[in-house]
Amino acid sequence: MKFIRACIIGIGVLAWIAPSHAEMVETAPGVTVTKKTFAAPIDEQPFFGFADKTPEQRKADADFLASVDKLGPREAVFHAAIERGWGHLERSDFSEAAKRFNQAWLLAPERSPIYQGFAVIAAARFGDLEYAEELFKVALRQPSPRRTLKADYGRLLLKAKRPAEAKTILEEGVRDAPAFADGWASLGLARLQTGDAAGACAAASEADKLKRSRDVLIDLALLKRQAACQ
């Protein structure tokens, strides 16, 4: 997926800035994250930017939940919001993706895919790799993770120039989602950057068996050239 893959090859890593005296906020029972805000409308930020909502905004949230409950169990609407969010991410439409993930957060705030989605947005739109990693770690602990979670987290670690750590989690990622070409391509990069050219070529070969996006094809071409794959 291009939203994480960008800058892995040949582009310098963004700075990681550690917040001082960071405030932690509970986002679900037993789940806390750093309170971070970004320069965007609140519904385009993770967790609505932790904003103190107006009465009108709180009513809109209540009306949304009431309309969902009229349709039946919230589970189906939650999954629909998550899948719409990921569809927008595939098109690099981060603003709409965040809106869908915020809706999902209202419905089931403890679920792993919400934190994975916000992690991608924090990295790809706002350039905050540190916050993205924090959210990925939360996603790993929360219920109902997406099969692509570790592949996405591994790409973040590659972007942060931590290929050894990336390789470890990407090895797990391709076991979780063996049909996800992005994971194999990222694993190939991690292996190459840790001195395993043969392993990189083997990962590229696995990716070649799968449906690949244009971005994965570009990555694989660069990988095969750098690893001198036959």
Side-chain angles (χ1 to χ4, degrees):
M1 296 182 184
K2 61 187 176 182
F3 43 88
I4 288 288
R5 185 179 301 106
C7 305
I8 288 178
I9 300 178
I11 299 179
V13 68
L14 295 173
W16 289 44
I17 303 173
S20 58
H21 308 295
E23 180 181 352
M24 304 299 291
V25 178
E26 187 173 67
T27 55
V31 181
T32 57
V33 303
T34 303
K35 183 178 182 180
K36 281 285 189 80
T37 59
F38 300 98
I42 65 169
D43 60 351
E44 296 179 17
Q45 299 181 54
F47 313 107
F48 291 103
F50 303 100
D52 292 326
K53 293 185 178 181
T54 66
E56 292 78 12
Q57 290 168 332
R58 290 194 293 272
K59 183 178 184 302
D61 289 347
D63 289 346
F64 167 70
L65 294 175
S67 67
V68 168
D69 289 338
K70 289 179 181 178
L71 299 175
R74 293 184 179 185
E75 186 76 9
V77 180
F78 169 83
H79 285 296
I82 287 293
E83 292 309 313
R84 287 182 66 189
W86 283 97
H88 287 301
L89 283 183
E90 292 284 359
R91 298 185 292 275
S92 297
D93 188 348
F94 304 121
S95 60
E96 287 300 317
K99 292 174 184 178
R100 304 290 82 79
F101 293 141
N102 274 317
Q103 287 181 332
W105 181 51
L106 291 175
L107 292 164
E110 77 286 352
R111 296 292 185 87
S112 172
I114 298 165
Y115 298 87
Q116 180 183 356
F118 283 149
V120 170
I121 290 169
R125 180 177 184 183
F126 300 116
D128 193 332
L129 305 189
E130 182 182 43
Y131 194 46
E133 181 170 18
E134 177 185 338
L135 296 178
F136 272 126
K137 288 180 176 179
V138 173
L140 288 169
R141 298 192 298 267
Q142 295 309 111
S144 306
R146 291 173 66 88
R147 296 177 69 187
T148 59
L149 170 58
K150 290 179 181 177
D152 282 349
Y153 182 23
R155 280 198 298 275
L156 178 83
L157 294 173
L158 277 176
K159 189 174 181 181
K161 296 186 177 180
R162 293 156 60 187
E165 295 172 70
K167 178 178 177 294
T168 297
I169 198 160
L170 286 165
E171 297 282 4
E172 298 177 11
V174 297
R175 290 195 292 271
D176 290 347
F180 188 44
D182 299 62
W184 286 106
S186 296
L187 177 58
L189 291 171
R191 286 175 174 174
L192 179 62
Q193 292 174 21
T194 53
D196 182 7
C201 292
S205 179
E206 292 297 325
D208 282 338
K209 301 173 186 177
L210 304 170
K211 181 179 179 180
R212 293 150 296 165
S213 67
R214 178 178 177 275
D215 295 306
V216 168
L217 290 170
I218 292 171
D219 280 359
L220 289 172
L222 291 169
L223 169 60
K224 291 173 187 177
R225 184 169 68 248
Q226 292 175 2
C229 300
Q230 300 300 316

